[in-house]
Amino acid sequence: KNLMLFWNKFLKKNKKKNLIKLRNAFVLAKNLKYNHGGKADNKYFFHTLRVASMILFWSKKEVKSDLLVLALLHNCLETTKIKDQFIENLFGKKIIDEINLLTVNRKNQWDKIYKANYYKKIINSSKNTRIVKVFDKLDNLFVLNKNPNPKIKIKYLAEVKKYIIPIVKKDVSLLLNYFEKLIDDTHL
């Protein structure tokens, strides 16, 4: 049902020519072999689908297929064994560059200097990259309560407050109150 809603909403807002690129990204994302958190989990595709769907439903106007392609593939380098060149051949240099910007080095993810540089690059990148990061974090906030480690939750919420809220203010200000309320409602 959610897949039908996604495609119907996209078709209402977009020209048919954008459909081929998005369909290719969708099929690729759905068929990737994800490894998230040290375990194989093909359900991870639904995270990327939720990110793309939230972007699509949030927008009041046409959503370019490149933004949705980026949303569907934003974690592919981090969570699969797919190669940069394959993505670049299918979707172009801009998309793979944006995916590379969004890819987190998990070994350094809590290092303050790494994190500051990571977000500096995102803030100075394309609006598409920033929007995908915002909706990626939004989706992650919904599942943060499942994380059993309170220290990780505290770090995660601090990261969202420090780096994501300024991007929300800049690019998706209509979501600011929602984001702030969601952060406040997240139980540690």
Side-chain angles (χ1 to χ4, degrees):
K1 183 178 177 181
N2 288 337
L3 296 176
M4 283 182 22
L5 286 171
F6 175 82
W7 286 110
N8 286 337
K9 185 78 167 179
F10 179 78
L11 290 173
K12 284 180 185 175
K13 289 187 174 186
N14 288 274
K15 299 174 180 92
K16 300 267 187 208
K17 68 178 184 174
N18 292 326
L19 181 61
I20 294 170
K21 184 186 273 191
L22 182 60
R23 186 174 0 142
N24 288 343
F26 179 87
V27 170
L28 176 62
K30 187 169 183 343
N31 290 298
L32 285 170
K33 302 296 181 214
Y34 295 96
N35 185 337
H36 187 261
K39 62 179 182 170
D41 187 359
N42 286 351
K43 291 184 279 184
Y44 190 74
F45 160 71
F46 290 103
H47 162 68
T48 65
L49 180 61
R50 286 191 306 270
V51 171
S53 296
M54 285 190 286
I55 290 169
L56 186 59
F57 283 85
W58 156 76
S59 177
K60 302 277 188 243
K61 57 184 179 178
E62 178 181 352
V63 177
K64 301 287 187 204
S65 61
D66 281 353
L67 176 55
L68 297 175
V69 167
L70 181 60
L72 287 168
L73 299 175
H74 74 275
N75 280 3
C76 69
L77 298 178
E78 187 178 323
T79 58
T80 74
K81 293 184 179 185
I82 199 164
K83 302 294 182 205
D84 292 44
Q85 194 60 53
F86 183 77
I87 299 293
E88 185 175 340
N89 290 344
L90 281 176
F91 302 105
K93 181 156 177 45
K94 182 178 181 235
I95 292 288
I96 194 59
D97 287 347
E98 291 171 330
I99 292 170
N100 274 308
L101 278 172
L102 290 166
T103 300
V104 175
N105 178 334
R106 291 293 168 197
K107 291 178 184 173
N108 296 324
Q109 71 180 341
W110 300 118
D111 179 85
K112 290 180 181 181
I113 294 170
Y114 168 79
K115 193 64 73 160
N117 288 329
Y118 172 80
Y119 277 106
K120 183 179 180 182
K121 290 175 188 172
I122 288 175
I123 289 165
N124 292 322
S125 68
S126 71
K127 186 173 183 178
N128 281 0
T129 304
R130 295 189 308 268
I131 287 172
V132 168
K133 191 65 186 177
V134 164
F135 283 95
D136 174 41
K137 289 296 184 186
L138 179 60
D139 188 62
N140 291 343
L141 282 171
F142 288 118
V143 297
L144 186 60
N145 285 331
K146 292 182 180 182
N147 188 317
N149 187 333
K151 290 180 183 178
I152 296 295
K153 289 179 185 181
I154 290 167
K155 287 180 182 181
Y156 197 87
L157 290 171
E159 176 182 330
V160 171
K161 287 177 185 176
K162 183 173 184 173
Y163 297 110
I164 299 300
I165 293 298
I167 300 172
V168 171
K169 287 177 182 176
K170 179 178 182 175
D171 293 314
V172 285
S173 59
L174 289 173
L175 290 179
L176 181 59
N177 290 338
Y178 184 74
F179 246 94
E180 291 173 335
K181 177 116 175 72
L182 188 59
I183 291 167
D184 290 343
D185 290 345
T186 300
H187 303 288
L188 298 178

